Amino acid sequence: MKPPKTVFVCQECGAQAPKWNGRCTECGAWNAMVEERVGGAPAPAAGNRYAQFGAGGAAKLYADVDIADAVRLSTGINEFDRVLGGGIVPGSLVLLGGEPGIGKSTLLLQAAAHFARAVGPVLYASGEESEHQIKSRGDRLGVGEAPLYLLAETCIERILEEIARLKPALVIVDSVQTVFSIKFQSAPGSIGQVREAATQFLFAAKGQNIPTVLVGHVTKDGSLAGPKVLEHVVDTVLYFEGERHHAHRVVRAVKNRFGAVSELGVFEMTGAGLQPVANPSKLFLSERASGTPGSAVLCCVEGSRPILVEVQALVSASTYGNPRRMAIGLDQNRVSLLLAVLEKRAGLALAGDDVYVNIAGGMTVEEPAADLSVVAAIASSVRNRSLAPATAVFGEVGLSGEIRGIPQAALRVREAAQMGFTRIVMPAVNLDARDSSLQAETCELVGVRAVGEALDELLT
Ligand code: TYD
Ligand code: MG
């Protein structure tokens, strides 16, 4: 008898090799090869399986395609709808990723309850908790009377049977790493099983036009377990961010076939579940001690939404030969670059200093528009002078110390004005553009062209 054929599959990129390797030859990941058994479903069956997806056949003329039925179903939680691009699209497959204990199950249970009451029955399949545990959590969240079906099951085929039987309006699978298909013998959570689960639920979602949400676990380094395979298959990828020790959570869209990416929803974890935060700027600035050195208010834009956050910097003489540079919520390399610009173009001596930069409240900002606020906070800490009161700042800093223009200036200015800021230091290039919406604002707009000039305007 022939021995069962096995392959070694990289859990990072899905590459296969006949022998175990310490390092994947495709993506270079260390210690990621796991033995998996191949075979099981014969090829013709697979052929049939894929065929059911494309039911319909002939190509359609662009003009004939009817988009009237491209409706969106509200989850009843407006911040969640926002990241989804205005609600969940029927037949779409959504992946919600995040660290353990951050609130994925809580958010989805709340959404499921609203959805069940407003739209129709919801199937919540959990491989992690029993019906009993889910219900005791639901009682705390005020789920109450709703056509919400709970299923504690890890077998994909069983879940699909229940979907076919109940014909729910929404399916939630918590989590994709705990379910397994009987067609494969590898363990749940391995790349083969995860891929199979995603594909099977994709067929179910598209074939029966049922929106499906999969929960995905995130590994220690922040990527989804079995990441690449999953992200390509699903329509929308959402990530839960935030620190467990802070009350607020951010849900961010990193891929969305039906809406804008980098759209953001902000929640606060309370005793009664996750509550949407309608005004995040207020939340992020709530603990700001104004008038202290080393603090600047940045107006960043996430997706279509402007948010004010506080950038904090602390510069202190280093007691060791090798000064520490640390950035939380910002790109470390970007901060190093800005430190070099400050040394060379603004004459600040930082070589012997430890520099710590942090975005208050655990937010993460990636856009270059944050540069000027980082520079301002560091200079403010070095000179021990606070920033001018009621002043917000944004702008990109170039290597020659020039302040570069950034997109969506008017949106940022409007948000800052609404939050009570009366003076905004921003790139002169954006002011020169003569954007009429900028002229209408009541606050004072100060355009700057170089780092030195910006610091003169900012520091009191
Ligand atoms: P959970 O949704 O179970 O996380 P995940 O599914 O992402 O692993 O979140 C659990 C955390 O949320 C837990 O630490 C307790 C906290 N929590 C509250 O603070 N209030 C609540 O009402 C609920 C249900 C949970
Ligand atoms: Mg959970």
Side-chain angles (χ1 to χ4, degrees):
M1 196 182 101
K2 264 202 324 199
K5 195 162 176 268
T6 61
V7 289
F8 291 86
V9 182
C10 172
Q11 302 295 298
E12 290 291 327
C13 69
Q16 298 188 351
K19 281 201 306 193
W20 189 82
N21 284 320
R23 185 170 191 226
C24 172
T25 49
E26 291 288 324
C27 70
W30 286 97
N31 215 9
M33 306 298 281
V34 167
E35 184 175 15
E36 285 181 15
R37 211 179 283 250
V38 283
N48 289 341
R49 218 148 55 85
Y50 299 128
Q52 83 189 40
F53 181 36
K60 254 189 199 165
L61 195 64
Y62 180 84
D64 293 345
V65 177
D66 194 7
I67 55 161
D69 53 342
V71 286
R72 285 176 187 273
L73 306 167
S74 170
T75 58
I77 302 174
N78 53 10
E79 290 290 303
F80 194 37
D81 285 348
R82 173 199 285 274
V83 263
L84 287 166
I88 196 159
V89 175
S92 67
L93 188 61
V94 179
L95 177 68
L96 177 65
E99 286 175 25
I102 201 155
K104 301 180 295 294
S105 309
T106 306
L107 177 65
L108 289 178
L109 191 58
Q110 285 177 282
H114 283 292
F115 201 89
R117 270 194 293 269
V119 186
V122 175
L123 176 65
Y124 187 107
S126 177
E128 310 202 325
E129 292 160 305
S130 67
E131 284 105 347
H132 196 84
Q133 282 169 315
I134 301 172
K135 178 147 190 197
S136 65
R137 182 208 302 256
D139 284 346
R140 199 137 53 90
L141 302 176
V143 167
E145 286 290 307
L148 174 61
Y149 294 89
L150 304 180
L151 176 68
E153 179 60 67
T154 51
C155 174
I156 297 172
E157 283 75 15
R158 276 283 305 129
I159 298 174
L160 291 175
E161 268 172 34
E162 284 300 294
I163 295 175
R165 187 176 72 85
L166 291 168
K167 303 220 176 342
L170 173 71
V171 175
I172 293 167
V173 180
D174 187 0
S175 64
V176 72
Q177 276 95 3
T178 53
V179 294
F180 72 96
S181 167
I182 44 174
K183 295 199 198 99
F184 287 82
Q185 279 152 357
S186 49
S190 64
I191 204 145
Q193 287 287 11
V194 166
R195 185 185 342 200
E196 178 64 15
T199 318
Q200 292 231 28
F201 287 117
L202 178 77
F203 291 153
K206 305 278 174 205
Q208 301 170 53
N209 210 24
I210 300 170
T212 305
V213 183
L214 305 177
V215 173
H217 285 289
V218 161
T219 54
K220 250 185 272 142
D221 60 348
S223 57
L224 282 161
K228 304 276 175 341
V229 270
L230 272 182
E231 293 192 0
H232 289 310
V233 171
V234 302
D235 296 310
T236 304
V237 181
L238 308 178
Y239 272 102
F240 239 111
E241 289 174 8
E243 291 172 43
R244 228 173 322 159
H245 309 293
H246 279 122
H248 76 266
R249 305 277 187 273
V250 171
V251 180
R252 196 189 289 270
V254 292
K255 165 185 176 178
N256 197 347
R257 285 187 185 145
F258 309 112
V261 286
S262 75
E263 200 59 82
L264 199 85
V266 184
F267 297 90
E268 199 170 356
M269 184 61 97
T270 69
L274 286 160
Q275 300 301 326
V277 174
N279 189 344
S281 300
K282 202 166 152 194
L283 176 81
F284 288 118
L285 294 183
S286 62
E287 289 173 53
R288 188 170 64 105
S290 53
T292 50
S295 155
V297 174
L298 157 72
C299 197
C300 55
V301 171
E302 297 288 344
S304 62
R305 171 184 235 183
I307 297 179
L308 298 182
V309 293
E310 182 193 0
V311 179
Q312 300 177 318
L314 180 65
V315 180
S316 66
S318 180
T319 43
Y320 303 102
N322 201 1
R324 288 198 72 179
R325 270 80 206 273
M326 213 165 99
I328 303 170
L330 287 155
D331 180 19
Q332 181 98 36
N333 293 332
R334 191 89 201 161
V335 172
S336 302
L337 187 149
L338 294 173
L339 285 171
V341 172
L342 270 174
E343 290 229 16
K344 198 86 180 173
R345 311 284 173 204
L348 258 64
L350 295 160
D353 291 328
D354 290 340
V355 180
Y356 304 96
V357 187
N358 175 35
I359 305 247
M363 255 292 280
T364 311
V365 179
E366 277 170 4
E367 53 166 3
D371 292 355
L372 195 52
S373 64
V374 174
V375 163
I378 294 173
S380 158
S381 180
V382 172
R383 298 191 178 157
N384 209 24
R385 277 157 50 187
S386 60
L387 255 68
T391 301
V393 55
F394 57 82
E396 180 179 346
V397 175
L399 285 185
S400 7
E402 82 279 19
I403 309 294
R404 300 172 155 259
I406 44 98
Q408 291 171 301
L411 194 65
R412 298 171 204 258
V413 169
R414 206 173 313 133
E415 175 74 4
Q418 258 170 25
M419 291 302 295
F421 288 83
T422 51
R423 190 159 168 271
I424 293 159
V425 177
M426 56 185 282
V429 187
N430 285 113
L431 276 182
D432 294 346
R434 300 246 171 268
D435 190 337
S436 57
S437 53
L438 274 176
Q439 313 299 325
E441 293 302 334
T442 49
C443 46
E444 183 194 349
L445 303 180
V446 184
V448 288
R449 294 183 193 279
V451 172
E453 187 189 349
L455 295 183
D456 289 343
E457 288 290 347
L458 281 164
L459 299 177
T460 52

